[in-house]
Amino acid sequence: MAHQWRGVIREYFDRLDVDSNTKIITLGEGGTPLVAAPALAQLVGAEEVYLKVEGMNPTGSFKDRGMTMAVSKAVTHGAKAVICASTGNTSASAAAYAAAAGIQSVVLVPKGKIALGKLAQAVAHKAQILQVKGNFDDCLDLARDLAENYAVHLVNSVNPDRIEGQKTGAFEVVEFLDRAPDIHVLPVGNAGNYSAYFKGYKEDVQAGRIKHIPQMWGYQADGSAPFVYGTPVKNPDTIATAIRIGNPASYDLALAAREESQGRFGAVKDPDILWMHRFLSQEVGVFVEPSSATGAAGLLQASRAGDNLAGKTIVVTVTGNGLKDAAWALKDERGKEIKPQIVSNRAKEVAERLGLA
Ligand SMILES: *Cc1c(COP(=O)(O)O)cnc(C)c1O
């Protein structure tokens, strides 16, 4: 009989901070594919590279793993509304899980800096959406303030339930590989996901499932790289809107994770992110949003800078689905719009155009 994946809370019930009183709100998140990417392995000179394709989650990003936990807890505690600040994917996820729970969601997004697909998701799931005059960091300050003083429950990744749910990504990697990778690479914005994977791997070490924590490599966009510069960035700027964050909420957690995993942080330029975004689509077959290509772009940068990856098994989390921010795929390397050619309905002409005749 076919087995239906039951969502991360039911699949990992014993390994999450839940009990029999928890009202589980799920859309079947998690259980995402770990896809072998031989073209990327060859490009960076590694033994094996796998992509953890988080765009396959119900709302198209890894945020769903944390949101099932955060909204389940909120509902269990009687919340009637949830609030979040978002560059887009958190709001899409919060709105969907609130809809499933039958409660209200409020999302605060930075004015003019949200991808159309993500805004459409929040609207579709009936969120109350407010565009705030300011950047993501301003939105988060406001959301925290409202949650502290009014009857709304905060579901940003400063809420530890989010990190708790997101750690299941590491559990799945370990179960699939039957060991830990040598290196785990991911894009970093608020660093919640970086911290969550570390937590998941650490728990797997403590439970004796794996022998070591992989080196955690986190990459930021260079116009928005507080971990690399060692200080918050006032006006973060990058086309990678999901990681356009100057003052990461999980700063201290992530620093500790890097230290203990002997990992690193790096910064990648926007053109290199877009190059990798195209490479993943064209050579690997996985369509991600630009921000999601930042980890792989960082891996390539490390390889080009002389890091020897021979013999290494590497997992790269690609965080969100390409359809959310599809406009980038419709531009060529020079930013020119790509349009399909127009032809007649005569086979001979079409064959000639395709170079078949
Ligand atoms: C949220 C998000 C990130 C950044 O994750 P953090 O936990 O904030 O570091 C990266 N990529 C995508 C697509 C996201 O939605």
Side-chain angles (χ1 to χ4, degrees), residues 60-63 87-90 118 157 162 166 187-195 242-243 245 250 289 291-292 318-321 324:
S61 86
F62 73 83
K63 299 298 198 298
T87 60
N89 284 332
T90 300
K118 303 177 188 180
S157 60
R162 284 274 312 278
Q166 286 169 208
V188 169
N190 271 308
N193 212 29
Y194 181 94
S195 308
I243 53 172
I245 287 159
S250 293
E289 61 173 286
S291 307
S292 302
V318 287
T319 42
N321 197 302
K324 285 171 169 280

